[in-house]
Amino acid sequence: MKEITPAKIAKLDSILAGASKATIVVHVNADGDAIGSGSAMLHYLLEVRGLDAAVAVPDRDAGGSSFLIPEEDRKYFFFFQSEPERTEERISSSDVIIVQDCIGFSRTEGLAPCLGRSSARKILIDHHIGPESDSFDLVFSKTDISSASEMLFHILMEMPDIGKDASKLPRISGRALMTGMTTDTNNFANSVYPSTFDMASKLIAAGVDRDEILNQLYYSYRESRLRLMGFLMNKMTITPEGVAYMIMTKRNFASFGVTDSDTEGFVNLPLSIKDVRMSVFLKQDTGFFRVSTRSKKGTSAQQFASRYFNGGGHENAAGGRLYFSDEIKSIRDVIAYLEQSINDFFA
Ligand code: 5GP
Ligand code: MN
């Protein structure tokens, strides 16, 4: 893989060799790829490199990815929203910071100021458009790859202590990498490359139990998720431009008794309709709506998210935010802004 040169591997190896305390940092609203790539790197650093290692997450908890963190691993995870001081102290006292599954500090939300002040060596391992390379000593980033988990897999395979032998990866790392790749590709439905199958094949050969992972990811939901899905599908709007949108209010969260992670993947569903070219899902948060968007080939979800919702991501899967403001005070205003944006985008 061109992005992973012997010179970069040597540099990574030497940074880790000189490290005493390493902290992995992932993006806010951490998903399967963030927690997966985070815990995979964590176990490589702990078990293979014998380092003092930890993962810092900007959120309150690991949400739907909690199954990746066994009880005995909790001490290695620092959730900023639950323990701000402990997390900041961990970052400030680390001499190596590894940012994964985001373009840089900007998507680590509350952790960004602390990362900016840190004088640690910094490494980026990502797969999004527009890496903030200037903030890092070493960058592994390309967009024609499924996930940060896949990027990390190929990096680890090149490390001298793994020597291209996936069976030398810690057991937890293999499971976590397979999980992150699976969630970012929606179980091999998008962003799949020859290198992705190569990774999956090597991990399965090394003993990773894919059935167990699929069971955790897709066959362990709560009933309320499906009931809510039916409700939202029924209320979905499809605009003349072929954009499907759904809006989930705080009230919906309460009346269905669901949490954020129960809505994972909903934004993908409207794309199964023939004439829908983009899907937008808005979820009410405190003071803003979180925006998720997915598109079919030929329509840029990334452009849409960055132009109207101050966000970004990938060409066909992106996100951003819509804040309440003087112009946007009610759900009705949100709908008007959204419809206007769609109209403008396709004009
Ligand atoms: P999701 O809809 O699953 O939350 O996010 C889809 C993709 O868009 C992910 O790759 C995520 O990293 C990116 N993304 C989501 N929200 C934001 C945002 O607020 N800003 C940027 N730059 N990217 C985002
Ligand atoms: Mn990812």
Side-chain angles (χ1 to χ4, degrees):
M1 189 170 284
K2 257 174 46 200
E3 183 59 21
I4 304 172
T5 61
K8 286 209 229 172
I9 291 294
K11 185 164 180 183
L12 176 59
D13 195 40
S14 114
I15 291 176
L16 296 180
S20 58
K21 195 170 182 180
T23 301
I24 300 144
V25 180
V26 299
H27 62 79
V28 68
N29 301 320
D31 55 5
D33 191 28
I35 300 294
S37 66
S39 70
M41 183 59 125
L42 172 72
H43 277 270
Y44 170 75
L45 297 178
L46 290 171
E47 296 179 36
V48 181
R49 312 288 307 210
L51 272 172
D52 171 353
V55 183
V57 184
D59 310 326
R60 184 176 310 284
D61 54 48
S65 305
S66 300
F67 76 92
L68 286 171
I69 308 176
E71 179 67 38
E72 60 275 20
D73 265 22
R74 296 228 190 117
K75 59 179 176 293
Y76 301 121
F77 279 79
F78 292 67
F79 290 97
F80 176 69
Q81 279 184 36
S82 297
E83 298 183 296
E85 285 96 25
R86 177 171 172 258
T87 309
E88 283 190 344
E89 148 59 24
R90 172 76 207 185
I91 289 176
S92 313
S93 60
S94 295
D95 54 6
V96 173
I97 303 278
I98 306 165
V99 175
Q100 295 185 175
D101 198 29
C102 58
I103 55 171
F105 305 159
S106 61
R107 285 218 65 222
T108 65
E109 207 158 71
L111 295 177
C114 181
L115 288 170
R117 285 191 301 270
S118 156
S119 57
R121 304 297 297 277
K122 299 192 187 76
I123 300 159
L124 178 69
I125 297 176
D126 187 38
H127 68 121
H128 293 92
I129 298 167
E132 296 168 354
S133 302
D134 290 350
S135 312
F136 296 90
D137 299 288
L138 179 60
V139 174
F140 295 93
S141 176
K142 66 187 212 118
T143 55
D144 51 346
I145 189 165
S146 66
S147 52
S149 294
E150 187 191 328
M151 179 63 93
L152 178 57
F153 170 82
H154 297 298
I155 293 168
L156 293 180
M157 292 298 276
E158 295 305 317
M159 294 303 278
D161 34 29
I162 300 296
K164 300 189 180 17
D165 179 358
S167 70
K168 290 200 179 138
L169 292 171
R171 204 180 46 79
I172 292 195
S173 300
R175 176 180 185 246
L177 291 170
M178 181 72 102
T179 304
M181 178 274 285
T182 302
T183 58
D184 263 27
T185 61
N186 289 301
N187 198 11
F188 295 94
N190 55 262
S191 349
V192 174
Y193 298 85
S195 59
T196 315
F197 287 115
D198 180 41
M199 162 191 184
S201 143
K202 286 182 171 140
L203 286 176
I204 291 171
V208 170
D209 185 352
R210 197 172 108 83
D211 291 340
E212 181 267 333
I213 293 170
L214 296 187
N215 191 41
Q216 291 282 1
L217 288 175
Y218 304 119
Y219 300 96
S220 303
Y221 290 122
R222 296 191 297 155
E223 177 185 337
S224 51
R225 168 183 155 98
L226 240 72
R227 305 257 175 225
L228 169 68
M229 188 190 286
F231 170 81
L232 289 171
M233 291 293 122
N234 196 31
K235 286 201 0 164
M236 167 179 69
T237 301
I238 302 179
T239 73
E241 296 87 352
V243 179
Y245 69 80
M246 298 180 286
I247 299 176
M248 167 109 182
T249 61
K250 283 209 160 176
R251 192 190 296 205
N252 298 149
F253 275 106
S255 62
F256 281 87
V258 294
T259 60
D260 210 43
S261 60
D262 290 305
T263 66
E264 184 76 38
F266 282 7
V267 64
N268 297 301
L269 299 171
L271 290 186
S272 67
I273 302 167
K274 186 167 189 282
D275 295 325
V276 166
R277 50 179 164 174
M278 186 159 77
S279 164
V280 187
F281 184 38
L282 272 73
K283 262 191 294 190
Q284 189 175 7
D285 206 316
T286 306
F288 64 93
F289 278 78
R290 200 145 64 233
V291 181
S292 271
T293 174
R294 301 289 184 272
S295 59
K296 289 181 183 163
K297 262 205 178 79
T299 301
S300 177
Q302 196 264 342
Q303 289 280 321
F304 184 73
S306 81
R307 217 178 282 173
Y308 307 102
F309 299 100
N310 193 31
H314 313 275
E315 182 67 7
N316 299 118
R321 284 178 179 195
L322 179 60
Y323 284 90
F324 284 113
S325 64
D326 289 345
E327 289 81 53
I328 295 168
K329 294 196 186 78
S330 65
I331 303 289
R332 189 184 301 205
D333 298 338
V334 168
I335 294 173
Y337 180 84
L338 178 59
E339 295 232 346
Q340 180 56 48
S341 306
I342 293 166
N343 208 273
D344 182 72
F345 189 64
F346 289 100

